[in-house]
Amino acid sequence: NTFIVTVPSWRATKDVSHKYDLIEEIARLHGYENIAPQLPVLPTNLPEENLERRRKHEARKILSLALNCNETINYSFYSAQTVKNCLLEEHSHLKIENYLSEDQTHLRTTLLPNLLKNCAENSKNRPVFNLFEFGRTYKKQSAFFPAEEKWLGILSRIEKKQAGEIFYQIKGITETFLKEFKIPHISINKAQSAPAYFHPGKAAEITINKEIIGYVGEINPLVQINFDPAAII
C-alpha cells in the first residue's frame, strides 16, 4: 500500500508538490466519470445574517425607487483646492504621501465635495436630479490609524426658478427616507452650528435622542459658485 513517486523534472516546479496533486493525477487517469459523486460532509447551518448589508440594500431601495435618487460611487480622496472650495480646513485632513494625482491628495472628511463635483458634471446634461452615496470618511485622531465613519449623503439639484423650494425639497426627501427606513426617536430642528458648506440660515440638525447624526440644508452660496454657479444645489 505504499508508493514511491518521482515527479518528472518538467512537472516538479509548483505543479506537483503535495499528495493531493498526485491524487488528482490518479483521478484523471482513472477517469472522473468513473468516480461516484458524493456530497462532502459539511455543516448545513446558514451563516449569520449581515444586518448592515441588509439595511444598506433596504436604504438603496427606498432612495432609488421611492425617492427617485441615483447612486454614485466616488473615490475616498479629493484635492486641496476642493477642500478650499468647500470652506473646509486643510489641517483637519490627512494628506496622502504617495498620491497618484493632484486631484487625490487628501482623504475625505465628508461625502459632500465629491457629490458636488458629481452634481456639476451631471448638470451639463440634466437640470434636475437627486444623487446619493454610501461611503467612509477619515478623521485624524491620536491613534496611528484615522477614525473611519460610514455615512449616507444625499444631494438634490433643482432649477433656479425653484430656488425658494430647495430647502423644503431636500428636507422632505430626508424625512421620507427616515420614516420609510423606520428610525425611531428622530427629529429635525434648526441647526445651531452647521458645517461651513451649508447656508448659514437654511440648515437643520438631524438628531436621535438629542445626539446629532447629520445635517440637512441648502449649500452655502460661496460653495455653490465654486462648483456649479449656474444651479441652485
Side-chain angles (χ1 to χ4, degrees), residues 143-184:
F144 181 74
F145 290 103
E148 295 187 25
E149 297 178 343
K150 299 174 184 178
W151 289 90
L152 164 62
I154 306 172
L155 186 143
S156 180
R157 184 190 192 276
I158 66 174
E159 295 179 288
K160 274 189 174 182
K161 62 183 179 181
Q162 299 175 290
E165 304 172 11
I166 184 62
F167 174 78
Y168 296 103
Q169 175 170 318
I170 192 65
K171 182 174 181 285
I173 289 175
T174 305
E175 289 175 332
T176 301
F177 170 75
L178 295 172
K179 179 181 178 182
E180 294 295 323
F181 202 56
K182 298 177 182 178
I183 300 179

Side-chain angles (χ1 to χ4, degrees), residues 59-117:
R60 283 193 175 100
K61 288 182 181 180
I62 296 170
L63 290 164
S64 59
L65 299 179
L67 296 173
N68 194 31
C69 297
N70 294 299
E71 185 173 10
T72 181
I73 301 174
N74 292 301
Y75 289 115
S76 297
F77 324 102
Y78 42 59
S79 66
Q81 185 60 49
T82 300
V83 173
K84 296 177 182 177
N85 288 345
C86 281
L87 308 182
L88 298 170
E89 296 178 344
E90 187 174 355
H91 67 80
S92 64
H93 289 73
L94 287 163
K95 186 174 182 179
I96 302 169
E97 291 185 357
N98 57 338
Y99 56 86
L100 298 178
S101 73
E102 292 294 335
D103 291 332
Q104 299 180 345
T105 57
H106 293 68
L107 282 171
R108 64 185 176 186
T109 61
T110 169
L111 305 184
L112 183 68
N114 285 334
L115 280 171
L116 286 171
K117 293 168 77 173

Side-chain angles (χ1 to χ4, degrees), residues 7-70:
V7 181
S9 60
W10 62 88
R11 300 282 307 273
T13 304
K14 297 182 180 180
D15 191 11
V16 180
S17 57
H18 200 277
K19 63 180 180 180
Y20 300 122
D21 297 323
L22 294 175
I23 294 171
E24 182 182 357
E25 293 293 324
I26 295 170
R28 184 176 61 83
L29 293 172
H30 177 67
Y32 292 121
E33 69 280 1
N34 296 319
I35 301 174
Q38 182 177 347
L39 290 174
V41 180
L42 296 172
T44 57
N45 298 330
L46 292 173
E48 291 186 17
E49 182 185 21
N50 188 325
L51 181 60
E52 178 184 338
R53 183 178 179 183
R54 178 170 67 82
R55 293 288 279 168
K56 190 178 288 187
H57 287 319
E58 291 173 358
R60 283 193 175 100
K61 288 182 181 180
I62 296 170
L63 290 164
S64 59
L65 299 179
L67 296 173
N68 194 31
C69 297
N70 294 299

